[in-house]
Amino acid sequence: MSAAQQVKFYQVGSHAAGNRLLGPQAQSDQADPDRSNALTSGHRACQGCGEALGARYVLDAAQRAAGGKVIAVNATGCLEVFSTPYPETSWQLPWLHSLFGNAPAVAAGVAAALRAKGRTDIRVVGQGGDGGSVDIGLGCLSGMFERNDDVLYVCYDNEAYMNTGVQRSGATPPAARTATTQAVGEEPGAPFGQGKSLPLIAMAHEIPYVATATVAGLRDLEAKVHRAMGMRGARYLHVLVPCPLGWGTASCDTVRMARLAEQSGLFPVFEAEYGEVTDVTPIRRRVPVEEYLRPQKRYAHLFTPEPDPKAVARIQRAADRNIARFGLLEHQEAS
């Protein structure tokens, strides 16, 4: 089961359901009119940007969990560029911009400085995209994990270097078209068998907490942030944030695409403590990977002008492996 509280939703006659019938403590952080609104209006994100949603959800929840005492350290990338075009900023909390690859080290330094000053009440959140986390910043992030620094690090994964022109990253999935993995050749798109799973790498460090989430599961995401903020030591949260520009999807389909990634099994949603999976979010309506791939222009070459059933089958096998590994079907127990 998910870490999020299970809530019964009631139809109220106006096609509205949910928060209005819940007590204040049971409502989502985003339903609170007094929430911190850590990432406010005026930023320059693309319409439908999953990263803007994810960052706001995460930091609002972190602010609420820590009583408003949070410092954010942000790697270079889309999130930094669209939120802080000099001399403007859309951040409403203490926020530092570091280099592309050293956000985990800077966040660890901030945590160390606070510890030296005896300020255990102020918490540190480091954040970056998949390029700055999975690739360029992997060494700094591994060091942060190894030292067990008191930082929650969040990777907003849109599966490519979107800020610099949609180049492949270590999180780009197989067969996806990017500027550096064009849809040409015998096996067009990103090659199979390359890349890495940063959640599994984080688990290998046996840190206190590792979790995955998507912008389609608001309550699940908020619950995981609250849980992570209630712990000390190194914690890692990997959030899938679809990118309409890089994925070639409609801006109104960002949440839908995140949900399909989870329902297909391509993006397993789970929690782990000290290297062991402790909880999974089961798939309640399983969909074939084709239902997830077809709406995305980065996979258009798999279906036109001639279908490529072999490539789709290979992607389906990867989803099936995730489902088996994490026990993602409701009748299965988490492995």
Side-chain angles (χ1 to χ4, degrees):
M1 297 295 292
S2 167
Q5 175 190 3
Q6 298 301 304
V7 176
K8 181 176 177 60
F9 292 100
Y10 299 87
Q11 194 69 27
V12 295
S14 63
H15 303 292
N19 282 310
R20 67 174 66 186
L21 296 178
L22 297 174
Q25 295 304 315
Q27 294 181 9
S28 72
D29 296 338
Q30 288 299 305
D32 183 358
D34 297 320
R35 70 181 186 275
S36 64
N37 203 18
L39 181 64
T40 192
S41 61
H43 61 70
R44 302 180 184 185
C46 299
Q47 187 176 29
C49 174
E51 192 167 31
L53 281 178
R56 194 183 81 213
Y57 293 166
V58 166
L59 287 175
D60 281 357
Q63 288 270 78
R64 190 174 189 181
K69 296 182 178 181
V70 173
I71 296 176
V73 177
N74 210 127
T76 295
C78 269
L79 182 58
E80 169 263 324
V81 169
F82 73 63
S83 64
T84 59
Y86 182 82
E88 305 165 7
T89 182
S90 290
W91 296 103
Q92 297 196 108
L93 80 168
W95 182 92
L96 286 77
H97 169 219
S98 68
L99 301 177
F100 216 139
N102 71 347
V106 173
V110 172
L114 291 170
R115 184 173 66 252
K117 296 181 69 175
R119 294 302 303 270
T120 59
D121 56 323
I122 301 175
R123 310 304 301 279
V124 181
V125 176
Q127 54 185 11
D130 52 289
S133 306
V134 177
D135 292 340
I136 303 175
L138 184 59
C140 288
L141 187 58
S142 178
M144 191 201 97
F145 291 159
E146 183 181 351
R147 294 186 302 269
N148 198 29
D149 294 314
D150 189 23
V151 174
L152 168 59
Y153 188 88
V154 185
C155 172
Y156 302 107
D157 182 8
N158 54 27
E159 301 186 333
Y161 289 88
M162 301 305 183
N163 175 53
T164 53
V166 194
Q167 295 90 358
R168 177 197 174 274
S169 80
T172 299
R177 182 196 67 200
T178 70
T180 51
T181 56
Q182 294 290 342
V184 296
E186 294 183 2
E187 292 189 353
F192 283 83
Q194 295 186 12
K196 56 190 84 90
S197 170
L198 192 46
L200 295 182
I201 293 173
M203 286 174 60
H205 289 75
E206 299 191 357
I207 59 176
Y209 187 70
V210 174
T212 65
T214 81
V215 291
L218 172 60
R219 286 183 172 276
D220 177 69
L221 176 55
E222 288 182 344
K224 287 170 177 172
V225 173
H226 277 266
R227 186 168 188 186
M229 294 298 290
M231 297 178 173
R232 293 286 178 171
R235 292 141 288 145
Y236 178 71
L237 180 59
H238 193 100
V239 186
L240 184 67
V241 291
C243 172
L245 175 67
W247 292 21
T249 54
S251 58
C252 61
D253 282 343
T254 297
V255 169
R256 172 175 170 250
M257 297 314 303
R259 185 173 293 114
L260 287 173
E262 178 183 347
Q263 291 175 335
S264 67
L266 287 173
F267 188 85
V269 178
F270 66 91
E271 292 179 287
E273 296 182 24
Y274 299 100
E276 300 293 335
V277 175
T278 57
D279 204 357
V280 302
T281 299
I283 296 173
R284 291 178 171 82
R285 187 184 75 87
R286 186 180 181 183
V287 301
V289 296
E290 185 172 338
E291 187 171 333
Y292 168 69
L293 301 175
R294 275 192 176 274
Q296 304 180 55
K297 291 182 180 178
R298 62 176 177 165
Y299 292 113
H301 55 280
L302 299 182
F303 305 103
T304 59
E306 295 294 333
D308 188 348
K310 290 185 179 180
V312 174
R314 292 181 73 178
I315 297 171
Q316 183 65 62
R317 286 196 295 272
D320 295 343
R321 182 168 184 252
N322 284 337
I323 290 170
R325 170 186 280 179
F326 293 99
L328 296 176
L329 295 181
E330 283 189 290
H331 65 274
Q332 294 178 319
E333 294 184 357
S335 57

